[in-house]
Amino acid sequence: MKYLYYPGCSLKSTGRAYEESLLETFAALDRPLSELNDWNCCGATAYMSVSELKAFALCARNFALAERQVGTGEECNLVVPCAACYLGLVKARRYLDEYPKIRRKVRTALAAAGLEYNSHTRVRHPLDVLLRDVGVDALRARQVRSLEGLRVACYYGCQLVRPYADFDDAHRPTTMDELLQALGAETVDWPLKTRCCGGSLTGTIQDVGLRLSQVLLSEAIKRGCNVVATACPLCQFNLECYQTAMSRRFHLTVDIPVVYFTQLVGLSLGVHPRRLGLNRLFVPFDFESAAPAEEVVAHG
Amino acid sequence: MNQTDVKGWRGWQKIRYESDLDPNLANEIASIPGGAQLYSCIQCGTCSGMCPLSSYMDYTPRRIIAMIRAGFKGEVLTSYTTWLCASCYACTVECPSEIAITDIMYAVKRMAIRTGAYPGRFPTPVLAEEFFKSVERNGRSSEGRLLMRFFARTNPLKMLKQAGLGWKLLRRGRISMKRESIRRRPELHKIMQALEHEHMIELETADRGMR
């Protein structure tokens, strides 16, 4: 079973810290990830609104490239951190498997470019890989800092667990909570963890988008968290970068660090905050004072 | 009103004659994979209750489903509802009749773009078009450039309001104006052409000169 990393467009720009922390975390676990060569867009939400079949063909090109890169006949795990890409690719994979008509059309189109899709690719989210393939024990064995002191609101967002995810529950997901708890953090009970953050509406119809994000953050703060952890570049961007705008718009104070869950895992593995992209945050996250260093663990 | 000429639609009428409705609308929408479930809607309203955006919509998701089934083509295609849908799939997961409501919203969006019936100056379809164009051409989207083109087409003044945010992102290396692209663009173009050439998809983009 081989792993390939599929970044998607956001992890190369607004979500750069997600890429940095993911790669550093996997490297610290001795499982370095290599990137899928010449990957293309996953055909996410905005593209799907124009043409569905083309969106599936885009995904199929990625699958075909992945299968070629790991070698023929071998099972490939495509590690996809972005929730929108994850959904897009999982959806395409399903439709290609379940609807012979779509599969035939897409395969014919790929053949015109000399590519072949054989359903050997599994789309996996890093949460799933870290918890199920790497495992809590292996993580703890490498842990150098406890996350004790952190009260994390785990935000899964919408497209990660709905409607197809097979690794977690669509209504009350727990994988991120389990992962961070295993590393010493406390997670707050927060019923809005899969409610929509507004997606691209914060850019297009800003009032509406800001409202959706603000509702999430205000409730998270009320529940007593000192940091919000996300698993999606767009969620992170919405929840973090618009905090001043929402404070001004709705006359309240929203001021809470929003990080990627991979950044927290990386910190507990002893990776330097800069290498995890924590310097790219708008709302600074002070790990040293939130989880004081005397809580050093020695699991061996 | 001419059934097919949704552009000529002139506002919402409270009473519609049977002859003004388009009985084919439901069939067209139901033709998407898994779309036939549309006919098992019991109008319970779970979708509208789950939807975090229904309070901003002109028609709630439940009403859109009913209107599709009844054939209110003009109302459905010109409505803001589908363009407010953020595709969070809350409705799809909760629907007791297992209707893929989010996918139906996508089907309506595509039909609205194809016929040019969507609310013209509304920002979301513009974003979808610009995103689609850049991916068709380069295989990837370049977030910085996408935003510039989006604001240029919708509200150039708003770009100035966003300048502060843009600057903060630039300083932290979180956005750039570089054009992102795959290396083997001809390969991708061949795939897309093959899909169009065989008439395997309706030329969803042709009549709007979007390529």
Side-chain angles (χ1 to χ4, degrees):
Chain A
M1 222 165 38
K2 288 185 180 166
Y3 296 91
L4 281 179
Y5 159 59
Y6 175 86
C9 305
S10 290
L11 268 80
K12 296 291 179 189
S13 59
T14 42
R16 258 177 89 177
Y18 198 4
E19 169 169 83
E20 289 162 340
S21 57
L22 177 86
L23 296 181
E24 286 291 341
T25 299
F26 274 79
L29 292 164
D30 281 338
R31 287 167 175 257
L33 288 173
S34 48
E35 191 172 309
L36 174 63
N37 288 331
D38 211 33
W39 56 271
N40 56 252
C41 165
C42 65
T45 317
Y47 192 93
M48 188 79 86
S49 310
V50 184
S51 172
E52 191 178 46
L53 193 61
K54 284 188 174 179
F56 292 149
L58 281 176
C59 292
R61 178 175 179 268
N62 287 321
F63 295 148
L65 294 180
E67 283 164 22
R68 186 189 279 174
Q69 197 170 333
V70 296
T72 29
E74 192 138 15
E75 172 102 343
C76 169
N77 279 295
L78 202 56
V79 181
V80 186
C82 168
C85 299
Y86 177 77
L87 171 68
L89 291 164
V90 169
K91 186 173 186 174
R93 182 65 224 268
R94 285 226 173 189
Y95 277 55
L96 288 168
D97 284 354
E98 285 173 18
Y99 298 95
K101 218 167 127 188
I102 296 178
R103 185 170 61 237
R104 204 185 55 241
K105 287 177 183 175
V106 168
R107 287 188 65 167
T108 320
L110 285 184
L115 288 170
E116 206 181 340
Y117 163 69
N118 288 315
S119 329
H120 290 313
T121 318
R122 255 185 91 190
V123 183
R124 306 282 306 274
H125 192 267
L127 265 179
D128 182 20
V129 176
L130 283 176
L131 204 62
R132 307 275 147 71
D133 295 10
V134 177
V136 169
D137 294 336
L139 274 165
R140 278 191 164 148
R142 299 291 176 104
Q143 189 179 14
V144 288
R145 278 282 296 273
S146 169
L147 297 182
E148 208 172 314
L150 295 189
R151 292 183 308 280
V152 191
C154 294
Y155 183 59
Y156 297 76
C158 51
Q159 301 198 335
L160 183 60
V161 288
R162 280 195 302 258
Y164 300 118
D166 45 4
F167 72 90
D168 211 337
D169 187 74
H171 299 92
R172 285 190 80 83
T174 52
T175 41
M176 200 194 300
D177 294 73
E178 280 170 51
L179 186 69
L180 297 177
Q181 277 167 8
L183 297 172
E186 187 191 323
T187 60
V188 299
D189 184 23
W190 183 42
L192 302 181
K193 53 183 167 183
T194 62
R195 201 185 142 99
C196 175
C197 70
S200 55
L201 288 174
T202 35
T204 48
I205 309 157
Q206 201 170 34
D207 257 20
V208 177
L210 285 185
R211 188 59 164 175
L212 261 63
S213 293
Q214 176 263 319
V215 167
L216 293 176
L217 288 177
S218 294
E219 183 63 24
I221 295 168
K222 208 160 87 188
R223 299 267 169 163
C225 72
N226 55 14
V227 62
V228 177
T230 63
C232 167
L234 189 54
C235 299
Q236 199 279 339
F237 178 70
N238 279 342
L239 295 183
E240 197 206 8
C241 301
Y242 287 105
Q243 287 190 13
T244 23
M246 39 182 119
S247 301
R248 209 179 310 135
R249 176 73 181 77
F250 303 111
H251 312 292
L252 36 83
T253 321
V254 182
D255 184 21
I256 185 97
V258 182
V259 299
Y260 295 107
F261 77 97
T262 42
Q263 290 178 313
L264 296 181
V265 176
L267 283 169
S268 87
L269 297 176
V271 183
H272 192 274
R274 243 195 126 73
R275 301 186 63 176
L276 296 169
L278 281 158
N279 53 315
R280 300 189 192 279
L281 291 177
F282 279 31
V283 184
F285 172 55
D286 187 358
F287 182 57
E288 295 305 325
S289 62
E294 47 265 28
E295 311 284 349
V296 176
V297 279
H299 280 293
Chain B
M1 186 187 86
N2 184 344
Q3 298 298 314
T4 48
D5 181 20
V6 275
K7 263 182 171 168
W9 184 73
R10 299 272 179 274
W12 195 74
Q13 291 166 265
K14 280 194 175 141
I15 296 171
R16 308 287 267 143
Y17 293 106
E18 188 82 31
S19 58
D20 287 340
L21 303 176
D22 183 348
N24 233 346
L25 179 65
N27 292 339
E28 258 182 85
I29 299 284
S31 70
I32 62 167
Q37 282 299 106
L38 172 70
Y39 298 115
S40 32
C41 176
I42 53 171
Q43 287 289 298
C44 66
T46 305
C47 46
S48 303
M50 287 309 297
C51 179
L53 288 150
S54 56
S55 53
Y56 298 97
M57 292 170 170
D58 43 359
Y59 304 106
T60 59
R62 176 189 66 81
R63 290 181 72 181
I64 285 284
I65 300 284
M67 284 157 67
I68 291 173
R69 288 180 49 169
F72 284 71
K73 191 168 186 177
E75 283 87 346
V76 170
L77 292 189
T78 51
S79 125
Y80 294 102
T81 297
T82 47
W83 299 106
L84 276 161
C85 169
S87 307
C88 79
Y89 291 88
C91 50
T92 302
V93 170
E94 303 299 337
C95 177
S97 296
E98 297 179 347
I99 303 171
I101 301 164
T102 312
D103 292 323
I104 289 176
M105 293 289 180
Y106 275 127
V108 173
K109 285 185 219 190
R110 289 195 293 269
M111 197 184 278
I113 285 195
R114 197 168 65 227
T115 52
Y118 65 83
R121 307 192 66 186
F122 207 54
T124 1
V126 175
L127 183 74
E129 279 190 347
E130 289 298 331
F131 186 86
F132 182 83
K133 272 199 260 182
S134 108
V135 173
E136 275 257 291
R137 202 178 302 133
N138 303 314
R140 289 181 196 173
S141 122
S142 323
E143 288 183 344
R145 287 167 164 265
L146 176 68
L147 286 175
M148 296 291 273
R149 278 201 305 272
F150 166 72
F151 283 124
R153 270 186 67 184
T154 48
N155 188 352
L157 278 176
K158 225 175 135 195
M159 192 146 41
L160 294 174
K161 272 175 89 181
Q162 301 285 332
L165 178 64
W167 173 241
K168 275 166 106 176
L169 287 169
L170 268 173
R171 270 188 51 205
R172 286 167 180 77
R174 289 174 69 169
I175 204 161
S176 84
M177 288 299 141
K178 209 181 102 210
R179 177 185 285 127
E180 300 288 336
S181 175
I182 57 172
R183 268 181 292 115
R184 297 193 297 274
R185 287 199 291 176
E187 186 180 281
L188 183 74
H189 296 158
K190 266 186 210 160
I191 298 174
M192 294 303 163
Q193 273 161 18
L195 282 177
E196 286 163 17
H197 195 69
E198 308 281 315
H199 288 284
M200 291 192 299
I201 55 172
E202 312 145 73
L203 289 175
E204 291 157 317
T205 51
D207 42 1
R208 291 191 43 79
M210 275 181 45
R211 293 201 325 106

